[in-house]
Amino acid sequence: MFRHPLRPVAAAAAALAAVGGLTAMTARPAAASATPRSRHVLLLSVDGLHQSDLAWYVARHPRSALARLAGGGVEYTHARTTVPSDSFPGMVGQLTGGDPGVTGVYYDDTYSNALLPAGTTSCAGVRPGAEVDLTEDLDKNQNSIDAGQGLSGLPGSILNMTGDAATLINPAKLPVDPKTCKPVYPHSYLKVNTVFDVARKAGLRTAWSDKHVAYEILDGPSGNGIQDLFAPEINSQAIGYPAGEDWTKDNAATEQYDTYKVKAVLNEIDGRDHSGTRKTGVPAVFGMNFQSVSTAQKLPSSDGLTGGYTTSGVPGPLLAKNLDFIDRQVAEFLDEIHKRGLAGSTTVILSSKHGQSPTDPKALTRIDDGPLLDGLNAAWKAAHPGAGDLVAHAVDDDAMLLWLSDRSQAAADFAKAYLLAQNGTGNDIDAAAKPFTASGLKTVYAGAAAARYFHARPGDSRVPDVFGISQYGVVYTGGKGKIAEHGGAHADDLDVPLVVSGPATPHDVRVGAPVRTTQIAPTILRLLGLDPRTLAAVRIEHTRPLPTR
């Protein structure tokens, strides 16, 4: 994946003040519903997990915890996540009820034409246009699993990490609001409120665990939606592993990392904070994100096992082993819920932020997108003497998102035409040469068409100027060590599991009708007896709770 160097671009002024109007409603009880209430909702999101993976595993392990979870509730067999199918829009969608065009969150590394670059301290006369980085780059120390808190005895002491993740963000890394000349924290960047916002206003306890401190975005615009946010840094140096390797470079390391978050959630089930040291009561809304399925899908091999899929849709040895790992963690949650007498009041929701593509190893085509974008910039400057680079920011995993320095339709059409005319040679699953056409793209939406695709206003300060859907199997990378990615709009990216299981649902029900992961948010509120329409994105997009009866 090529992250293009940033350059300031001209744009309109920021329009973040609308957030207050979108989130002003206070929580109120839901309208009368036949759905029984829950006192607690545990949300589990497993990066990379497909519905086909869950079905494959349950068919072979009918007595597993995953089978017990699916059989104890409603399984939606045709659920889809957001486009782009990236971690941030995917997770934000689950907890707001909205897609990127409404939430304003398109990727974990995105761009705004209304904000000023990070580090700006004197804002007068500065041209808007800034990267909005929601990755490990925001940490005070991205090389440490505690994100720079300074704990001793890591990683064993990681549960002592603060639950106030925002305090571990380096404000100098944040984009700047031109109106206030102050840094914009992730929670302020989000345009709409979250489930956590609503729950807090209703006097309920909230907790969450995820992979970067930037996930304080889930606090919502209030900035305090999550009372206990445990966010150990996954892209930090993996302690006990070779120098330069983070927790995603070895699947055993990723599993070890995931167990820290599992322990945090177990402590919360026991009525304590994530560290287990303070009694707080069991949260009404809580949960975590798993990362280890994702690395088992992406790594060609790890721990002596082959990663990814052996044939189309069939998990290979490493992925099968990791699905066993996930099953054991789910079993721990279910057993602890039962042990603490919470089974009659707790609903568990299982889903994923995104899938992973391709699941057919023969389809893989790795393409180095750096030369493609360099060529686009060169062609633009040749056609427009004196102009700078056309690409202001690019994020390419298995889709292509471009923000341009010239936001005219003509410039977007120029980029589209150039990219669709480029052919070349990439490499396949065995690193052998493999030709590609049209820059590996199947469909390109440019300018106004890109805005329409995302249901955003033309000229919106955050929407990509160019959105390219890749040909199946294309992964943009300059190396030969990645066998899958996400972010695109293929079925492998989008088709994720969705299970709602507990006393508030019937047992062993399969729903084959299409549903969206954005429906999780209003479902959580309905289960808790709160009004789903208290969520701004639910009102805007008319997002319905999942049919649970």
Side-chain angles (χ1 to χ4, degrees), residues 383-404:
H384 302 81
D389 286 348
L390 178 59
V391 179
H393 189 63
V395 179
D396 311 324
D397 285 322
D398 74 336
M400 187 172 285
L401 288 77
L402 306 182
W403 288 264
L404 305 181

Side-chain angles (χ1 to χ4, degrees), residues 30 47 112 136 182 202-203 253 281 414 435 476 494 535:
D47 271 22
S112 170
E136 67 276 9
K182 293 182 179 180
F414 182 97
Y476 292 107
L494 302 177
L535 289 169

Side-chain angles (χ1 to χ4, degrees), residues 289-335:
N289 161 254
F290 285 95
Q291 283 290 297
S292 50
V293 164
S294 180
T295 62
Q297 293 167 325
K298 285 186 176 184
L299 295 170
S301 64
S302 186
D303 311 313
L305 298 173
T306 302
Y309 296 82
T310 55
T311 57
S312 183
V314 178
L318 183 64
L319 181 53
K321 170 182 170 291
N322 187 253
L323 292 173
D324 285 336
F325 167 80
I326 297 296
D327 185 71
R328 290 195 299 273
Q329 312 316 304
V330 171
E332 284 202 59
F333 291 144
L334 298 181
D335 292 347

Side-chain angles (χ1 to χ4, degrees), residues 48 50 354-360 472 485 489-495:
H50 304 97
H354 58 77
Q356 211 89 256
S357 180
T359 58
D360 180 358
Y472 180 67
E485 257 299 355
H490 297 293
D492 286 355
D493 296 291
L494 302 177
D495 292 351

Side-chain angles (χ1 to χ4, degrees), residues 192-240:
V192 295
N193 59 344
T194 71
V195 164
F196 297 118
D197 273 318
V198 176
R200 283 298 307 280
K201 288 180 180 178
L204 302 178
R205 181 162 180 82
T206 59
W208 185 251
S209 181
D210 223 302
K211 61 183 179 178
H212 306 305
V213 295
Y215 273 91
E216 71 96 43
I217 194 171
L218 300 176
D219 273 328
S222 69
N224 60 12
I226 304 175
Q227 288 167 284
D228 188 1
L229 176 57
F230 178 55
E233 179 52 65
I234 193 169
N235 291 121
S236 62
Q237 170 64 48
I239 300 169

Side-chain angles (χ1 to χ4, degrees), residues 215-273:
Y215 273 91
E216 71 96 43
I217 194 171
L218 300 176
D219 273 328
S222 69
N224 60 12
I226 304 175
Q227 288 167 284
D228 188 1
L229 176 57
F230 178 55
E233 179 52 65
I234 193 169
N235 291 121
S236 62
Q237 170 64 48
I239 300 169
Y241 291 83
E245 289 193 3
D246 66 30
W247 298 93
T248 69
K249 298 300 188 294
D250 184 296
N251 190 246
T254 318
E255 289 183 357
Q256 178 182 339
Y257 168 87
D258 277 349
T259 59
Y260 299 134
K261 294 186 292 185
V262 168
K263 179 58 178 174
V265 173
L266 289 171
N267 286 338
E268 291 158 0
I269 292 172
D270 292 345
R272 298 179 179 271
D273 69 355

